[in-house]
Amino acid sequence: MSLTLEPMSQGSFRNYLNHAIKNYALEKEKIGTWTSDTAVDRAYESYERLLPKGLATPNNYLFSIMFNSVTVGYIWIAKDVENETAAFIFDFEIYSDYRNQGFGTEAIALIGQKAQKLGFSALGLHVFGNNSAAIHVYDKAGFFPTDIRMKKML
């Protein structure tokens, strides 16, 4: 397999942002953090806060994941606000048509190499607790839990 990480273009970023905001809102709704009437607005506000200058936001690195010149997903890392020596994966997706083919595992390895070249000594991430497929990929790639947040519906 021969994946590459290419810096995201402005056009790809616009498409990414529209897709990511909707997905983030939906995930936050699914786990009960946000309500359907506020989820999209709150997701939009989150992205505005995290990427105020879009692709030019300092210490943020957004990549298209490419396989044979086809975009199979994206990944976004940034300097971790809690630990400046670490990078944090803010968003990562392999598109549904390309899942279960090893692309996720390879992309995680590539972003680890990229983060090292950028001077980071560790790589962190957040994963929604109901996303067992992603948890499997991260476990396989050597990630381990650092915090676990739990909830009970009343």
Side-chain angles (χ1 to χ4, degrees), residues 36-56:
S36 61
D37 58 326
T38 63
V40 171
D41 288 340
R42 292 181 79 172
Y44 178 81
E45 289 167 4
S46 294
Y47 277 82
E48 279 288 305
R49 180 177 38 79
L50 293 169
L51 292 169
K53 295 181 180 180
L55 289 174

Side-chain angles (χ1 to χ4, degrees), residues 27 92-94 99-100 104-105 108 125-143:
E27 289 298 328
F92 170 49
E93 182 178 0
I94 300 295
R99 292 184 187 149
N100 300 314
T105 301
I108 288 295
L125 57 83
H126 166 272
V127 61
F128 288 107
N130 65 345
N131 193 342
S132 58
I135 291 168
H136 172 74
V137 169
Y138 301 138
D139 280 341
K140 199 164 76 170
F143 287 81

Side-chain angles (χ1 to χ4, degrees), residues 12-39:
S12 292
F13 178 70
R14 279 191 299 275
N15 293 335
Y16 159 73
L17 205 53
N18 289 330
H19 174 78
I21 288 170
K22 290 175 192 167
N23 276 358
Y24 188 51
L26 184 60
E27 289 298 328
K28 292 295 244 182
E29 264 184 78
K30 273 191 219 173
I31 62 169
T33 304
W34 295 341
T35 61
S36 61
D37 58 326
T38 63

Side-chain angles (χ1 to χ4, degrees), residues 55-75:
L55 289 174
T57 303
N59 300 312
N60 284 264
Y61 311 90
L62 291 97
F63 300 96
S64 295
I65 303 168
M66 308 299 293
F67 179 68
N68 294 336
S69 72
V70 173
T71 304
V72 300
Y74 56 81
I75 194 161

